[in-house]
Structures are given as C-alpha cells and as structure tokens.
Amino acid sequence: MRSFRNAGIRSGLLAVAACLALAGCVSIGGKAPEELFRLTPEETAPAGATASGQLGDALVVLDPEADRSLDVLRVPVRVDAARLAYLKDAAWVEKPARQFRSLLAETIRARTGKLVVEGGDFEVTGKTQVGGRLLQMGYDVQKSAVVVRFDAMRGSRAGDAEISTKRFEAIVNGVEPKANAVGPALNQAANDVARQVADWVKGD
C-alpha cells in the first residue's frame, strides 16, 4: 500500500513540475503592446539649479483629475462625438494624468525658477497650488490630429482664497493613426500645454 502511495506522490510532483515548466514557456496574459508611450519634458531645469524657501511658500502641482477614458493605460482615439476607441499596439507606461503632473511640474520649474513640488503630503502645506482636469489626451480621427486639452486651476489652500481657471489646448495636425506617429505627437502637444500653463503661472 505504501509503495502505491509513494508512486502517487511522485506522479503528482512530476505533474506539478511539468505545469511549472510549461508556465515558464507560455504567456498567460495578452500580447504586449509594440509601443509604450511616456511624456518627457522638452524644458528642464539645468543641472545644479537650486530653489529654496519655506515649504509653505512652495508651488504645489497636484494630480489632475481625468475622465475614465484617460484613467487607463490605453491611448484613447476619438472616433466622433459619441464613440471612443483605443489605439492599436500602444499603451502608456503610466496613467497619463500622473505623467502630465510630472511634466507640468518640471516645465514650471524650468520656466519660472520657483520652488516647485509635486502633490502628496505637500498638498496641505504649499500655499499656492496648481491643478485642474485633463479633458483630452489622445487621437482625434475626424481631425487627423492629436489633441491635448487641460482645464487648469490656480489658487491658494486657504478656504476663502480666490482661484483662477483657464483652458489650455494644443493640437498637432496631420498625424497618422499609428502608434509610431501618435506617440511623439502626444509628447509634443503635452509639452506645448505645459509651457502655456507655466507662462500663465509665471505671470502671476
């Protein structure tokens, strides 16, 4: 009886080993996208640049709010006013709203020389805050263009303080609906919007 039991155990172990070996060769998930998109700032503070001051005087760049179509790693394609799809063979390396926050913070830092920090715990200490809502960051089929649209908001953390809002937009026309064309155009448009917002903040 014991020999049969040992044989059963050995058979089970061999089956488990075979499954593990198979799992190492077979991909269980979906096909990886051919292109991964990320936003990189075209303007950065030079090496050695410093900004100092009280934390309460820092300019805090908050995470933008975003619609659900932008709260994913896929790249939205606006087919028309009522229909939305996603770009084939492409994905973001990180959700676009978070990437745009970092891009915006670096661009403001480079163009204003201000003490700039990003979100997190600084939200409750920074006197001036810049945030808003990311309305569009993707491809528009009817325009054959990439569009980035951002409703910016600037104000103080004080509850009764005045706030300012302004809509910014950048469009790159003549873009093919292909991943290798849409990616660079998205980065170009996002940097354009970030510069516009930085200049708006600088003119404060």
Side-chain angles (χ1 to χ4, degrees):
M1 179 69 71
R2 182 175 297 176
S3 61
F4 284 116
R5 183 179 302 170
N6 291 338
I9 292 173
R10 284 195 297 271
S11 297
L13 291 174
L14 288 172
V16 170
C19 289
L20 290 174
L22 182 62
C25 300
V26 177
S27 175
I28 304 300
K31 180 183 176 182
E34 294 182 5
E35 299 276 347
L36 291 175
F37 293 171
R38 61 175 298 183
L39 299 179
T40 55
E42 294 175 353
E43 296 187 31
T44 61
T50 61
S52 60
Q54 298 295 321
L55 185 56
D57 295 328
L59 189 153
V60 181
V61 180
L62 308 176
D63 272 337
E65 296 180 4
D67 292 332
R68 288 193 176 184
S69 63
L70 292 171
D71 194 31
V72 293
L73 295 180
R74 293 178 293 177
V75 182
V77 174
R78 189 177 297 274
V79 179
D80 53 37
R83 293 182 298 165
L84 192 71
Y86 288 99
L87 189 65
K88 182 182 178 182
D89 297 328
W92 292 105
V93 296
E94 187 179 16
K95 290 183 179 180
R98 176 60 63 86
Q99 290 196 67
F100 185 71
R101 183 194 78 178
S102 297
L103 172 66
L104 182 58
E106 183 59 27
T107 305
I108 292 174
R109 189 178 294 116
R111 291 179 79 88
T112 67
K114 293 178 179 288
L115 176 62
V116 179
V117 294
E118 295 183 45
D121 296 336
F122 297 117
E123 294 179 16
V124 296
T125 55
K127 182 171 63 177
T128 304
Q129 299 181 347
V130 176
R133 186 173 187 84
L134 192 59
L135 301 174
Q136 191 170 345
M137 184 179 282
Y139 186 80
D140 190 304
V141 172
Q142 293 182 324
K143 295 179 179 178
S144 295
V146 158
V147 180
V148 174
R149 185 177 297 119
F150 178 58
D151 273 352
M153 182 180 68
R154 179 185 63 196
S156 169
R157 62 188 174 90
D160 57 349
E162 181 179 349
I163 64 170
S164 301
T165 63
K166 187 173 182 179
R167 177 166 293 182
F168 298 92
E169 182 180 82
I171 300 175
V172 180
N173 292 302
V175 179
E176 289 186 292
K178 297 179 180 179
N180 61 0
V182 172
L186 280 170
N187 196 62
Q188 178 184 336
N191 271 277
D192 190 347
V193 169
R195 283 191 292 268
Q196 295 177 49
V197 177
D199 290 342
W200 178 58
V201 171
K202 186 177 181 179
D204 197 8

